[in-house]
Amino acid sequence: MATLPSHGLRSLTTARPWLLNRRPSSTFASLSSSSMAEDSAEAPQPSASKPSKSNKSYFPKRGQTLELLCESLAFKGKGLCKVADTGFVVMCDRALPGERFIGRVTRKKENYAEVTKLKTISPHWDFVDAPCEYSSYCGGCKTQNLSYEAQLSAKEQQVLELVTHVGMFSSKELESLDIMKPIVPCDIQFHYRNKMEFSFGSHEWLPTESLSEKQDGNESYALGLHAPGFFDKVLNVNKCLLQSEPANMVLAAIQDCWRDPQLGLSAYNVHSHAGFLKHLMLRTGRDVKTGLPELMVNFVTSSYKPELLGPLVDKISPVPEVVSIMNNVNTSIGSTSVGEEEYTLYGKSTITEILRGLTFQISANSFFQTNTRQAEVLYKLIEDCAGLRGDGSEVVLDLFCGTGTIGLTLAQRVRHVYGYEVVAQAIADARLNAKLNGIHNATFVQGDLNKIDESFGNNFPKPDIVISDPNRPGMHMKLIKFLLKLKAPRVVYVSCNPATCARDLDYLCHGVIEKNIKGGYRLKSLQPVDMFPHTPHIECVCLLELC
Ligand SMILES: C[S@@+](CC[C@H](N)C(=O)[O-])C[C@H]1O[C@@H](n2cnc3c(N)ncnc32)[C@H](O)[C@@H]1O
């Protein structure tokens, strides 16, 4: 038997009143398991409750203003609101539970509408002052002025809604069998991100109330985060409370000088494709010997002109934590930060980080969990779910292994780890990380898990434990079918998208009737984890056991 996860952390909702007192109708009521496409692993989309008799004919017009009450947070952290007397559902970014406000309809969907908030009439229940000056319009944090406890309970409720309405598990079984665990909070709510990517913009985006401050020339260049939903609008940011203090020192030093016309630097324009500076990526790791922070600064530029970056390098290299300054050159017109060529401008080309006692080497473009501190907690939960015997006899299959971090942290206690991942560079990093930590019982293979065929599984022995950690679209039907045929005794499903997680749990446990596929697993535990406070993101660790 696998050990059920324990984390020894505070339980926020001991009584979980929402488990007993749930609303009868739900935003997720019409999310059906059939929303899974055979050929693409798409996320189930939000859709509003079916209009009741009284609201059947009601549909607001685009541009119409409405008085609304936000009931809860739903998909992507949007506020789920109802139009008074009609029950009609609208979704609104940055509307918070209990808030009464005036909104304008911006978009009509099949059976709900999207609105923009114009004016708050009365604030939400758990209002706190947001410490960040950009919080009301930055695309990064959306719920900074909702108390952290309220953020956690909203996330927990969202997972429960999805697992009941998409996953088709009854709230009764989730409760009576103690399947659904209380969300694990993040013990630090700021400065938790080890990686931030800022964009350079040729025109600073300003919220409507600040438009009078509009400037011209280099003064209008911006370096910061994108306005919500816009790839071409950059909000200038001098400090981000989610990243480390040394990273903020570097950001401030760059902001201090990069617009100086004498430096001849220009921001890349995503429309005209002219300009030099595209992105600034700041990654914080740790010196393995001293445990002190070490910083990588990565300039992504549209061409290779190191002489132009020289003054910036001179300005930031004296910051004691800066150990690496890189230049990724990306000549494509896309907005990706991965360059076709990479140059080291100062110091070393990688930084290090320690996770569950192992050392990981991180290059500018390698994937690494972005909240290191909470990744320790997450990986401990995964290990607890894996329920390893520890006698070195078991085989682990690590699907969507990235740079191999999960598998490698388990490798010392098992016979062999087999990791699969689509990104070739991540596989190279995984092999390097294995070597760096003296691990010889891990094999990492590059491959697309959406395109597996009958031969998948021929190259590794039947695993005792499968870890599956897909990105947001979840698992492809081909992989679901493979797992149901493989019949590994235990599957640990790690998810960063509770909607696709709920769908895949449904498939693995209940099968897919319309495709004549029988389920084969029992959900033993579902543990939400908050990796990213103030954002809508929710991580879940689920343990499934073969029936
Ligand atoms: C959420 S990350 C998990 C990474 C890793 N397990 C960790 O904890 O660091 C998901 C990984 O799945 C990989 N991936 C996405 N689609 C894939 C596919 N079709 N086949 C294989 N790997 C894929 C991504 O490149 C990414 O590394």
Side-chain angles (χ1 to χ4, degrees), residues 367 369 379 400-402 405-406 421-423 447-450 469-471:
F367 175 87
Q369 290 281 343
Y379 281 25
F400 306 93
C401 67
T405 40
I406 298 178
E421 157 68 43
V422 75
V423 177
D448 188 337
L449 292 165
N450 290 347
D469 184 10
N471 51 0

Side-chain angles (χ1 to χ4, degrees), residues 350 360-363 365-367 401-405 408 419-437 442-447:
T350 56
F360 292 93
Q361 215 169 74
I362 302 166
S363 57
N365 295 314
S366 49
F367 175 87
C401 67
T403 48
T405 40
L408 291 173
Y420 281 81
E421 157 68 43
V422 75
V423 177
Q425 184 57 47
I427 288 294
D429 286 344
R431 289 175 184 153
L432 185 79
N433 286 330
K435 207 166 158 188
L436 204 68
N437 290 285
T443 305
F444 294 103
V445 183
Q446 192 223 336

Side-chain angles (χ1 to χ4, degrees), residues 170-181:
S170 74
S171 50
K172 203 170 152 199
E173 77 176 294
L174 292 172
E175 189 186 17
S176 64
L177 300 175
D178 194 26
I179 292 170
M180 173 99 189
K181 310 289 175 192

Side-chain angles (χ1 to χ4, degrees), residues 20-273:
L20 307 163
N21 183 26
R22 291 182 11 72
R23 289 194 314 276
S25 75
S26 159
T27 320
F28 301 100
S30 60
L31 285 172
S32 83
S33 54
S34 62
S35 57
M36 170 74 188
E38 174 72 41
D39 297 325
S40 69
E42 280 171 5
Q45 294 299 306
S47 86
S49 336
K50 286 199 176 85
S52 65
K53 267 185 190 158
S54 60
N55 71 12
K56 228 175 186 173
S57 56
Y58 180 82
F59 212 110
K61 291 194 180 74
R62 201 155 171 257
Q64 188 175 341
T65 53
L66 302 165
E67 183 176 329
L68 297 159
L69 175 68
C70 176
E71 292 201 344
S72 60
L73 289 182
F75 190 68
K76 292 190 177 171
K78 291 189 181 191
L80 185 157
C81 318
K82 295 261 176 82
V83 181
D85 302 328
T86 68
F88 186 84
V89 171
V90 301
M91 306 294 281
C92 180
D93 220 13
R94 290 171 202 274
L96 297 167
E99 182 175 6
R100 193 172 282 282
F101 66 101
I102 305 289
R104 177 184 295 130
V105 178
T106 51
R107 209 178 279 179
K108 286 161 71 170
K109 298 280 186 176
E110 201 184 324
N111 53 358
Y112 72 101
E114 285 184 2
V115 300
T116 300
K117 185 160 67 175
L118 297 178
K119 188 182 159 206
T120 298
I121 299 169
S122 55
H124 52 88
W125 299 314
D126 298 287
F127 181 89
V128 290
D129 284 326
C132 173
E133 61 179 295
Y134 311 107
S135 68
S136 48
Y137 39 82
C138 171
C141 296
K142 288 191 175 179
T143 49
Q144 254 193 46
N145 51 18
L146 188 61
S147 76
Y148 187 53
E149 305 239 325
Q151 289 181 33
L152 290 171
S153 103
K155 288 186 179 187
E156 204 177 44
Q157 182 168 351
Q158 213 186 110
V159 175
L160 183 80
E161 296 250 9
L162 285 161
V163 86
T164 48
H165 295 291
V166 178
M168 303 298 167
F169 296 88
S170 74
S171 50
K172 203 170 152 199
E173 77 176 294
L174 292 172
E175 189 186 17
S176 64
L177 300 175
D178 194 26
I179 292 170
M180 173 99 189
K181 310 289 175 192
I183 190 166
V184 180
C186 187
D187 65 358
I188 51 165
Q189 286 113 48
F190 290 98
H191 308 293
Y192 60 77
R193 280 191 72 98
N194 58 30
K195 178 181 157 192
M196 284 296 293
E197 190 179 306
F198 301 99
S199 295
F200 290 92
S202 50
H203 295 286
E204 179 179 358
W205 176 80
L206 292 167
T208 326
E209 60 269 27
S210 321
L211 278 177
S212 56
E213 297 160 22
K214 216 170 169 68
Q215 288 160 326
D216 296 321
N218 280 12
E219 293 298 308
S220 76
Y221 281 174
L223 166 59
L225 294 163
H226 287 267
F230 292 96
F231 78 104
D232 58 348
K233 292 181 176 170
V234 179
L235 167 75
N236 196 62
V237 166
N238 293 314
K239 184 177 184 175
C240 173
L241 296 185
L242 296 192
Q243 66 174 357
S244 70
E245 287 298 357
N248 271 324
M249 275 165 63
V250 169
L251 177 62
I254 293 171
Q255 286 285 32
D256 203 35
C257 66
W258 77 277
R259 288 182 195 80
D260 180 348
Q262 290 190 350
L263 301 188
L265 292 165
S266 55
Y268 186 75
N269 183 314
V270 288
H271 296 292
S272 68
H273 307 298

Side-chain angles (χ1 to χ4, degrees), residues 2-13:
T3 326
L4 287 178
S6 64
H7 49 75
L9 292 169
R10 170 177 70 112
S11 157
L12 271 162
T13 47

